[in-house]
Amino acid sequence: MKSAVGSLLMQEGLKYLEKNPEKNMGNMLKWAKKFPTSQENKEKIEMIENIWFEENNIWKDFMLKILRELHPNQVQKFIINYMINSGVVGMPKAEKLAKEHGCSIPWTILMDPTSACNLKCKGCWAENYKKADSMSYEELDRIIREGKELGIYMYIYSGGEPLMRKKDLIRLAEKHSDCMFLSFTNGTLIDEEFAKDVQRVGNLTFAISVEGIGEATDMRRGEGVYDRVIKAMDILKEHKIGFGFSTCYHSKNVDDVSSDEFIDLMIDKGAYFGWFFTYIPLGNGADLDLVATPEQREYMYHRLRELRSKKPLFLMDFWNDGEYVRGCIAGGRRYFHINAHGDVEPCAFVHYSNYNIHDVSLLEALKSPIFMQYQKYQPFNDNLLRPCPMFDNPDILRKMVHESGAKSTQPLDEESVDNLADKNNVFAEKWAPVASELWELNRKEAVLREKLKKHAVNQ
């Protein structure tokens, strides 16, 4: 009853906000501060309030863009499901249950409806799974139902190509209308009919894979794919559906995906966020030449921070943002992965597992031996710019897999953890001195900021 009353109040508040976003947002924030909530949530509200009332703040422009340009269904579901259910309600519940059960309970679950795909991209992280694997609608539904009992209201799809299961994704979004869903997708299966369904349900959004303009994308994904991606973005924008882009930067495209031209194009096409990954050489036959050099990774570290300061776009870097999330988020700490075969993996890139979701409950899966190893060793490095146990600290991954007895989940290429660790040690050793220099610079800047802050208070 309390939840229902809260939802009704929020819906009325959103109607009020829609009438005049710029004028009424400030009143909404003042109203939100009156409700009992955690200290962390109060601080988040105050941060948004500070942004809102600051002159010429790029993030205020970004928030106004969301309120003005997205369909009301999308705005409502984003605020209620993502910000309230997942953040204000779900996370405290998950933290409480994690203490009770002695295991990590994440903010989100990444799962693969299918391993099938209509493309064959070079260097795909999932290319060594069986292509015929799929989880049934009933299995996906069970995971979400059990997840909500643990306080998880955010679900992410990968694959394979998740949109090969369009109808099931819409059914799940409809049934679990209190959750938020994000699908990674190559974008080529998005059409008008699907966009209308997505607009109607409101709680499904997309991260569309793109690796630069024109040939920079087609080089890995196939001829003509870039044009199909742009068409998909145009369809989503026309239907006022929020989406972002997902890009894998590697040795051949760093300049392409970090250019003003590319970022401005993504904004113009309607993207609200961008998720950057670096290429990881998975499998015995992986192309090692595509691995970004330490200099390129350092460049992306600085470049994304520069772009955040001047572009109305929320940008994330899965590796270089480790300092903001206290290192690795995998192993159930903030997320984990269930592949299309049902194997419960600590990360989308770490293909070792003890349990299959068909045989255990979600809570039992979170207590799997390899997940408990993650919990034992996180963070894997005092330098949070070296967060990953596989790519930055491969000997730790080797140790965790051996100690947990986890087995490879790559049936087409059962790469041993020893081979994987030996291969990645080469890249980890090259990155370590660069990361150390960056980390030391960060510490000095943090100390300086603190001194300036104290000085301003004393004045």
Side-chain angles (χ1 to χ4, degrees):
M1 186 179 293
K2 186 189 295 183
S3 176
V5 171
S7 293
L8 286 171
L9 283 170
M10 181 58 67
Q11 287 168 15
E12 289 303 309
L14 288 170
K15 290 178 184 177
Y16 168 70
L17 184 61
E18 285 172 23
K19 293 177 182 177
N20 190 332
E22 191 156 9
K23 177 183 176 182
N24 295 337
M25 182 64 161
N27 293 332
M28 286 278 288
L29 289 167
K30 291 176 182 177
W31 175 65
K33 288 170 67 177
K34 295 179 181 179
F35 284 82
T37 184
S38 68
Q39 183 60 36
E40 182 182 359
N41 286 327
K42 287 180 181 178
E43 291 173 359
K44 288 177 181 177
I45 293 170
E46 288 175 2
M47 179 186 72
I48 296 172
E49 192 176 34
N50 291 336
I51 290 172
W52 191 259
F53 289 109
E54 183 180 328
E55 293 293 328
N56 301 318
N57 190 300
I58 193 170
W59 294 108
K60 178 181 178 179
D61 295 337
F62 179 71
M63 287 189 283
L64 277 172
K65 181 182 177 183
I66 291 174
L67 294 170
R68 288 171 176 165
E69 297 180 5
L70 287 186
H71 191 274
N73 289 351
Q74 290 258 307
V75 175
Q76 183 181 104
K77 293 295 186 180
F78 175 76
I79 293 177
I80 294 177
N81 294 3
Y82 180 81
M83 299 182 73
I84 305 300
N85 293 348
S86 181
V88 177
V89 177
M91 290 181 71
K93 181 179 180 179
E95 289 170 4
K96 180 183 177 182
L97 290 172
K99 290 179 182 178
E100 289 180 13
H101 291 283
C103 66
S104 296
I105 295 179
W107 166 70
T108 188
I109 299 174
L110 174 69
M111 50 190 181
D112 302 348
T114 180
S115 59
C117 186
N118 61 322
L119 299 182
K120 187 172 177 58
C121 303
K122 183 178 181 181
C124 175
W125 61 268
E127 67 181 345
N128 292 311
Y129 291 139
K130 285 183 179 178
K131 302 309 176 189
D133 285 335
S134 285
M135 281 196 286
S136 69
Y137 169 85
E138 291 73 21
E139 196 68 61
L140 294 166
D141 175 55
R142 176 178 77 87
I143 292 167
I144 297 168
R145 283 189 284 107
E146 292 184 13
K148 288 196 289 186
E149 291 176 3
L150 298 175
I152 306 169
Y153 289 85
M154 180 72 204
Y155 295 87
I156 304 176
Y157 299 120
S158 59
E161 171 50 51
L163 297 196
M164 296 187 79
R165 301 279 300 279
K166 286 181 189 178
K167 291 183 179 179
D168 283 337
L169 299 196
I170 294 295
R171 282 179 68 196
L172 289 166
E174 284 180 312
K175 180 173 182 178
H176 300 284
S177 60
D178 53 349
C179 293
M180 197 71 202
F181 297 90
L182 165 69
S183 178
F184 286 98
T185 174
N186 60 43
T188 61
L189 300 179
I190 292 172
D191 55 26
E192 296 279 345
E193 182 182 356
F194 181 59
K196 289 176 183 177
D197 281 336
V198 173
Q199 183 193 82
R200 174 175 54 80
V201 297
N203 58 339
L204 174 61
T205 188
F206 307 96
I208 300 177
S209 298
V210 59
E211 318 240 325
I213 298 173
E215 178 58 26
T217 289
D218 289 355
M219 185 273 286
R220 283 189 68 197
R221 300 188 170 272
E223 186 176 349
V225 170
Y226 172 77
D227 290 337
R228 295 166 71 185
V229 165
I230 294 301
K231 181 180 179 181
M233 291 181 175
D234 289 340
I235 291 172
L236 293 176
K237 184 178 181 180
E238 180 185 347
H239 289 80
K240 298 184 177 181
I241 295 167
F243 68 91
F245 67 90
S246 169
T247 191
C248 174
Y249 68 88
H250 50 79
S251 62
K252 313 295 184 185
N253 75 339
V254 164
D255 292 337
D256 295 282
V257 298
S258 64
S259 68
D260 282 321
E261 181 186 10
F262 175 71
I263 297 299
D264 289 342
L265 176 66
M266 292 296 99
I267 294 171
D268 179 63
K269 287 298 171 184
Y272 290 86
F273 63 89
W275 204 326
F276 285 82
F277 298 84
T278 193
Y279 172 77
I280 301 295
L282 289 176
N284 291 305
D287 187 347
L288 303 185
D289 290 337
L290 286 177
V291 177
T293 66
E295 293 76 20
Q296 288 173 321
R297 185 170 169 182
E298 180 185 14
Y299 168 75
M300 290 298 290
Y301 173 89
H302 293 299
R303 178 59 175 156
L304 259 65
R305 281 152 181 76
E306 178 188 6
L307 289 168
R308 286 171 185 153
S309 69
K310 64 181 185 179
K311 304 288 186 183
L313 186 69
F314 188 73
L315 299 174
M316 300 161 281
D317 187 325
F318 200 76
W319 273 263
N320 285 342
D321 283 344
E323 60 187 305
Y324 300 127
V325 291
R326 293 293 304 164
C328 173
I329 62 172
R333 179 171 166 256
R334 288 290 179 267
Y335 103 105
F336 70 100
H337 180 229
I338 305 174
N339 68 23
H341 187 253
D343 299 314
V344 181
E345 303 169 337
C347 176
F349 301 97
V350 177
H351 298 171
Y352 301 95
S353 176
N354 298 101
Y355 294 160
N356 189 288
I357 200 64
H358 299 130
D359 305 320
V360 297
S361 70
L362 187 60
L363 183 58
E364 289 172 322
L366 289 167
K367 296 180 180 181
S368 82
I370 194 167
F371 280 38
M372 300 308 288
Q373 287 286 313
Y374 265 69
Q375 189 171 317
K376 176 181 176 181
Y377 288 108
Q378 286 169 326
F380 298 111
N381 200 301
D382 292 335
N383 182 340
L384 298 181
L385 299 181
R386 298 175 61 194
C388 180
M390 178 181 66
F391 202 51
D392 299 320
N393 307 278
D395 284 332
I396 294 181
L397 179 65
R398 187 200 311 264
K399 184 176 183 179
M400 292 194 299
V401 170
H402 284 311
E403 290 188 4
S404 67
K407 304 300 181 184
S408 171
T409 58
Q410 294 183 175
L412 303 184
D413 181 357
E414 292 188 4
E415 184 176 30
S416 74
V417 70
D418 293 310
N419 286 346
L420 180 64
D422 289 344
K423 176 174 63 182
N424 284 336
N425 259 327
V426 176
F427 305 110
E429 289 170 3
K430 290 179 179 178
W431 171 243
V434 179
S436 295
E437 189 175 331
L438 274 177
W439 188 245
E440 182 60 28
L441 178 63
N442 277 353
R443 298 311 93 205
K444 290 178 180 178
E445 289 178 349
V447 170
L448 177 60
R449 284 195 299 270
E450 191 62 29
K451 286 182 179 179
L452 291 173
K453 184 178 178 181
K454 289 180 180 179
H455 177 73
V457 171
N458 293 333
Q459 289 295 101

